[in-house]
Amino acid sequence: MSGMRTRGAGADGGRVDGVRPRSPWRDRGQVTIEFLGMTPTIVVTLVALWQAVLVGYTFTLAGNAADEAVRAGTAAESGRSGKCTAAGLDKLSSAWRDGADVSCTTGNGYVTADVSLKVPVLFPGTIDFPFTVKGHAGAVEEATRS
C-alpha cells in the first residue's frame, strides 16, 4: 500500500492531495438570489392561470344563466320576457351581473335566451378584460292550460 494515495484529512485541515473540501456555505446566497429572480415569473404565471380559470367559469355561468332564463320563459304564461330576463340574472353574483346582458325571444312556439357576460378581472378596477362570453339556450314553449 505504499504506492496508494490516501484522501483523508491532513494536519492542516485540508486534503492530503492538496484540494480543500468544498464548503456547504459557499452557495448559500445563490439560492436566495435565484429564488428572488424567479418570484415575479411565478407570480405572473399564477395570475395568468387564475384569469384563465375566470374565463372558463364565465363560460359555465353564461350557459347556466341561458338555461335558467329559457326555462323560466317557457313556463311563464304572461310577462315572458321579464321573467326570462330576471331568471337569467338571478343566480349571477355581482361580479358577473354588472356587465350581463340577457335577451329572450319567442317565435313559432320556441323560446330562446342569449346571455352575454363580461369576464371579470382578477384585480378589478385596474384594467378591463376585453372578452365577452356568450351563452345560448332554447326550448319549446310549454302548452298553456285552458
Side-chain angles (χ1 to χ4, degrees):
M1 288 227 177
S2 62
M4 293 187 78
R5 207 167 157 166
T6 60
R7 299 192 77 162
D12 63 351
R15 298 182 84 108
V16 173
D17 57 4
V19 179
R20 295 197 119 216
R22 189 171 177 169
S23 169
W25 304 105
R26 188 170 164 197
D27 292 335
R28 181 174 61 179
Q30 182 67 29
V31 173
T32 303
I33 296 300
E34 287 177 3
F35 178 74
L36 288 175
M38 287 301 296
T39 300
T41 305
I42 293 169
V43 169
V44 167
T45 302
L46 289 175
V47 167
L49 286 173
W50 189 251
Q51 190 62 49
V53 168
L54 283 175
V55 171
Y57 186 58
T58 304
F59 271 103
T60 301
L61 287 177
N64 185 55
D67 288 341
E68 293 287 333
V70 81
R71 188 176 300 123
T74 59
E77 292 184 23
S78 64
R80 177 169 287 152
S81 180
K83 290 180 181 176
C84 180
T85 302
L89 296 172
D90 182 43
K91 294 183 179 161
L92 295 175
S93 67
S94 63
W96 284 273
R97 189 180 303 133
D98 292 340
D101 178 38
V102 180
S103 63
C104 302
T105 57
T106 305
N108 296 331
Y110 195 70
V111 178
T112 59
D114 292 303
V115 177
S116 297
L117 299 178
K118 291 180 97 176
V119 178
V121 182
L122 181 61
F123 300 111
T126 56
I127 58 171
D128 281 337
F129 196 68
F131 196 67
T132 302
V133 174
K134 299 182 186 299
H136 176 79
V140 177
E141 292 179 9
E142 292 182 8
T144 57
R145 296 181 186 156
S146 303

